[in-house]
């Protein structure tokens, strides 16, 4: 072909008579040439040749040196690709040379395995392109080097710092001290404790982090992931530094506007108002005062229910919401006007309730039957991951076991189901109490008990059960005839299906039957809740318990520091 390129030869071959046969012959020739090269490499390896000798024989026989060298002298995409290929070949030979120097006599396949399993490039003495490149390496590889921008990635708990002790099998770190002690006739030192080992490892990890962070001339970026599976490392706390006595402002517009608005509230004579004005002129959202929270008048200050102005107005109260309104009126209000999604636990609870209702109606209370109904409905839910599905499936299985055990004991005790999922409504002055009762059961002695099934795992104490507002509301409705078949009421109880207790797969908490004093006290309590629900302002506690339902951020709006209000 002389100086003609491969593409020109290919065009000629296709256009000539019998062109495809010519190409088949050329491809066959190349395949035979490759087979010959590989056979020679195998012979070199069988004769004890090093990986460097094997690679050199392949390189010389391939003829790529002349081809890539000629392409690299040109310009364009083909030249760039040839340059990258030559750089990679030089780096490969440099790595092979270091491998032979470090482990003479090691088989060539070991070098191949190490290169394929490596996630980061080896420290290389081969020439590398300095312009428009990103260096990727470990912290020790940064010794003696500096960069304009350094990104420290993967700052995850358990990854960096990794506090797992190193060299604990043979305690290699103690060998120098032991050898010195033997020469001096002293007793060799004992192995350090696990706590001391972790302290030493933590110090090493902090030094590596300091090394990586100090390589940045202009900007240091720390990155991590925060979700259900991964947590940020404690090293991320070092990002909370201050510049000239003030917290560094965010580098995104949304955060910058918020920071400037906060500064403007604290000091109206500073630079923040002027900066906000500049951002407002540029049309940045949130910079103009017209868009600030708290600057506009309230849309309304009227109460949710006007009990004073409207004599016919009533407050709708659900038994399950009484304790929520008592614990945090603001939390109840947030749920009422902007209820968050019910969540996975609520969906599974609904499934279990539906299956238990069907089992009570049909009399099929065997565990296999109940679990089959729950499992078939679980298949309709969407889970974030497989492990989440397995976890929730195990929890649902515990609920099914508790339900089956309860229903079997219910049948063995000779009890009768009088009603399931029955709705009721009771008018008490300005309060309309309405809800749904899971079960109304009759005992052989003629008394009836109201049962509320729970799918949670934390039953209330005896004192909390005695004052439980949901059970009290059911008893109040039954005493006033709003609950069918509830004559001769013998109290109410909670049944926690997922909490085994004393040999049973479930836990019961019973509330004694109401008397007149109990009813009077609960009606006063109900009036207070209705008054809070009907108001125009809603209070919330500053501190809530560790397991409080109102610990989420959207229930803590009253504690968020002012930005510009």
């Amino acid at each position: 072909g002389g100086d003609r390129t491969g593409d020109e030869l290919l065009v000629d071959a296709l256009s000539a008579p019998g062109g495809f046969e010519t190409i088949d012959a050329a491809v066959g020739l190349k395949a035979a040439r490759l087979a010959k090269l590989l056979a020679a490499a195998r012979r070199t390896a069988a004769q004890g040749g090093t990986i460097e000798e094997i690679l050199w024989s392949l390189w010389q026989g391939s003829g790529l040196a002349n081809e890539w060298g000629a392409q690299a002298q040109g310009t364009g995409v083909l030249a760039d690709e040839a340059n990258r290929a030559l750089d990679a070949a030089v780096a490969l030979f440099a790595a092979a040379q270091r491998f032979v120097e470090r482990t003479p006599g090691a088989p060539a396949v070991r070098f191949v395995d190490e290169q394929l399993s490596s996630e980061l490039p080896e420290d290389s003495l081969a020439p590398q392109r300095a312009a428009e490149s990103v260096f990727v390496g470990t912290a020790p590889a940064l010794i003696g080097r500096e960069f304009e921008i350094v990104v420290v990635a993967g700052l995850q708990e358990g990854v960096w710092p990794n506090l797992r002790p190193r060299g604990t099998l043979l305690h290699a770190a103690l060998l120098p001290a032991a050898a010195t002690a033997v020469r001096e006739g002293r007793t060799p030192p004992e192995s350090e404790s696990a706590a001391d080992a972790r302290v030493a490892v933590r110090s090493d990890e902090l030094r590596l982090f300091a090394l990586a962070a100090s390589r940045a001339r202009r900007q240091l970026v720390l990155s991590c992931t925060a979700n259900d599976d991964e947590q940020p490392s404690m090293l991320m706390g070092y990002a909370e530094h201050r510049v000239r006595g003030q917290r560094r402002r965010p580098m995104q517009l949304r955060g910058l506007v918020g920071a400037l608005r906060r500064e403007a509230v604290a000091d109206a004579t500073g630079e923040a108002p002027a900066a906000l004005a500049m951002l407002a002129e540029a049309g940045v959202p949130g910079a103009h005062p017209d868009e600030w929270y708290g600057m506009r008048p309230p849309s309304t200050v009227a109460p949710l229910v006007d009990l004073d102005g409207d004599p016919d107005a009533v407050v709708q109260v659900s038994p399950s919401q009484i304790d929520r309104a008592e614990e945090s009126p603001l939390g109840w209000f947030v749920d009422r006007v902007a209820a968050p999604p019910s969540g996975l636990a609520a969906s599974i609870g609904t499934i279990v309730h539906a299956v238990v209702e069907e089992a009570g109606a049909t009399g099929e209370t065997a565990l296999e039957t109940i679990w089959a109904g729950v499992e078939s409905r679980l298949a309709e839910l969407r889970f974030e991951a497989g492990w989440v599905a397995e976890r929730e499936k195990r929890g649902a299985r515990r609920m099914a076991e508790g339900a089956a055990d309860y229903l079997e004991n219910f049948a063995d005790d000779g009890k009768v189901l009088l009603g399931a999922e029955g709705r009721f409504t009771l008018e008490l002055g300005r309060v309309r109490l309405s809800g749904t009762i899971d079960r109304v059961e009759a005992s052989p002695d003629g008394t009836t008990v109201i049962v509320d099934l729970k799918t949670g795992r934390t039953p209330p104490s005896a004192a909390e059960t005695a004052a439980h507002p949901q059970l009290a509301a059911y008893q109040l409705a039954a005493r006033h005839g709003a609950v069918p078949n509830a004559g001769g009421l013998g109290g109410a109880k909670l049944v926690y299906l997922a909490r085994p207790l004393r040999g049973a797969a479930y836990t019961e908490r019973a509330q004694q039957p109401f008397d007149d004093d109990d009813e009077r006290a609960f009606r006063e309590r109900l009036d207070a809740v209705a008054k809070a629900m009907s108001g125009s302002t809603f209070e919330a506690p500053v501190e809530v318990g560790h397991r409080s339902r109102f610990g989420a951020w959207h229930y803590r709006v009253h504690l968020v520091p002012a930005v510009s209000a």
Side-chain angles (χ1 to χ4, degrees):
D3 296 332
R4 306 185 69 189
T5 64
D7 291 341
E8 293 173 341
L9 294 175
L10 179 61
V11 172
D12 290 347
L14 287 173
S15 58
F20 286 103
E21 289 78 1
T22 303
I23 291 176
D24 289 340
V27 171
L29 182 62
K30 287 185 177 181
R33 186 177 180 184
L34 176 61
K36 184 178 179 181
L37 283 175
L38 295 177
R42 292 192 185 95
R43 286 195 300 270
T44 303
Q47 295 171 2
T50 65
I51 183 62
E52 194 174 8
E53 294 171 344
I54 295 173
L55 289 177
W56 186 251
S57 66
L58 291 172
W59 176 255
Q60 283 187 319
S62 66
L64 292 175
N66 294 332
E67 181 179 350
W68 285 353
Q71 293 174 354
Q73 293 177 1
T75 59
V77 177
L78 187 62
D80 292 341
E81 186 66 28
N83 274 300
R84 284 192 290 269
L86 289 172
D87 290 344
V90 172
L92 180 63
F93 276 103
Q97 181 183 2
R98 287 192 298 274
F99 177 81
V100 173
E101 291 174 352
R102 295 171 183 170
T103 56
V109 67
R110 179 176 168 185
F111 171 79
V112 176
D113 292 339
E114 289 184 359
Q115 295 300 313
L116 293 178
S117 62
S118 177
E119 297 183 359
L120 291 175
E122 225 183 318
D123 295 342
S124 176
L125 299 177
Q128 297 183 5
R129 185 175 304 184
E132 299 181 357
S133 62
V134 175
F135 175 77
V136 180
T138 59
L142 302 177
I143 296 176
R145 310 183 68 173
E146 286 187 347
F147 302 89
E148 288 295 317
I149 301 175
V150 171
V151 178
V152 182
L155 290 178
Q156 304 298 141
E157 187 68 28
V159 177
W160 196 356
N162 179 8
L163 302 183
R164 179 176 56 84
R166 278 72 152 172
T168 56
L169 180 61
L170 300 177
H171 300 284
L174 298 178
L175 287 178
T180 303
V182 170
R183 286 196 302 268
E184 297 176 355
R186 295 183 288 105
T187 302
E190 297 182 356
S191 61
E192 58 188 358
S193 65
D196 294 336
R198 283 194 294 270
V199 170
V201 172
R202 182 185 292 110
S203 299
D204 292 339
E205 294 283 276
L206 289 176
R207 281 193 289 271
L208 289 175
F209 176 74
L211 168 65
S214 63
R215 301 301 91 191
R217 298 192 191 99
R218 179 171 59 86
Q219 184 179 3
L220 172 67
V221 180
L222 309 180
S223 70
C224 66
T225 302
N227 52 35
D228 293 339
D229 302 326
E230 298 179 290
Q231 298 298 322
S233 166
M234 68 177 188
L235 298 176
M236 286 298 297
Y238 291 100
E240 297 292 335
H241 64 284
R242 295 180 178 273
V243 179
R244 296 178 184 177
Q246 295 182 351
R247 185 176 295 276
R248 187 174 180 179
R249 289 170 178 161
M251 299 189 67
Q252 71 274 11
L253 283 178
R254 181 182 178 88
L256 177 61
V257 169
L260 291 174
R261 284 165 57 174
R262 191 183 302 278
E263 293 177 20
V265 173
D267 183 11
T269 62
E271 62 181 8
L276 284 171
M278 186 181 300
L279 293 175
E281 291 179 359
V284 176
H288 198 282
D290 290 345
E291 302 177 15
W292 293 1
Y293 162 77
M295 300 302 292
R296 297 180 180 179
S299 58
T300 180
V301 293
L304 293 183
V305 180
D306 190 3
L307 295 178
D308 296 330
D310 186 357
D312 298 327
V314 295
V315 181
Q316 296 278 356
V317 177
S318 171
S320 61
Q321 298 298 313
I322 296 176
D323 59 339
R324 301 179 69 91
E326 289 179 331
E327 181 180 353
S328 174
L330 177 61
W332 170 86
F333 176 77
V334 170
D335 284 343
R336 183 183 186 278
V337 300
S342 58
L344 190 60
S347 300
I348 295 177
T350 302
I351 289 175
V352 173
H353 275 78
V355 173
V356 171
E357 181 185 0
E358 293 178 1
T362 59
E364 298 179 0
T365 60
L367 173 60
E368 293 75 12
T369 303
I370 294 177
W371 174 239
V374 173
E375 192 174 26
S376 63
R377 288 170 170 83
L378 286 178
E380 302 174 3
L381 300 181
R382 298 182 61 182
F383 299 95
E384 296 180 356
W387 68 267
V388 176
E390 289 299 321
R391 180 193 66 188
E392 298 300 333
K393 189 174 181 180
R394 288 196 297 269
R397 175 75 181 189
R398 286 194 297 268
M399 298 178 197
E401 292 172 353
D405 193 18
Y406 177 79
L407 293 177
E408 289 178 2
N409 291 337
F410 169 82
D412 293 342
D413 293 341
K415 297 179 180 178
V416 178
L417 180 65
L418 301 179
E421 297 296 327
R423 291 196 57 82
F424 71 89
T425 299
L426 176 63
E427 299 279 353
L428 296 170
R430 309 296 292 275
V431 178
R432 179 179 293 123
L433 187 65
S434 60
T436 302
I437 297 177
D438 290 339
R439 294 170 63 88
V440 178
E441 301 175 352
S443 300
D445 59 3
T447 60
T448 60
V449 176
I450 295 175
V451 179
D452 188 51
L453 302 177
K454 296 293 186 183
T455 55
R457 292 183 54 82
T458 309
S461 64
E464 291 171 339
T465 304
H468 198 278
Q470 189 171 1
L471 295 183
Y474 294 156
Q475 290 211 59
L476 181 63
R479 283 172 62 89
H480 287 264
V483 179
N485 304 319
L489 186 63
K493 65 180 180 180
L494 303 170
V495 177
Y496 281 78
L497 301 177
R499 183 65 181 267
L501 181 66
R502 299 191 186 96
Y506 58 91
T507 297
E508 289 188 359
R509 291 288 188 268
Q511 187 180 75
Q512 295 302 313
F514 261 24
D515 55 23
D516 294 339
D517 293 337
D518 295 329
E519 179 178 344
R520 188 181 307 106
F522 181 70
R523 291 191 63 168
E524 293 176 357
R525 185 178 174 186
L526 194 61
D527 290 338
V529 168
K531 184 177 180 181
M533 289 182 175
S534 64
S536 58
T537 59
F538 301 89
E539 299 179 353
V542 175
E543 298 292 339
V544 295
H546 175 65
R547 296 182 178 273
S548 173
R549 72 195 85 185
F550 298 116
W553 64 268
H554 51 273
Y555 297 121
R556 316 297 290 159
V557 63
H558 59 295
L559 301 179
V560 177
V563 174
S564 57

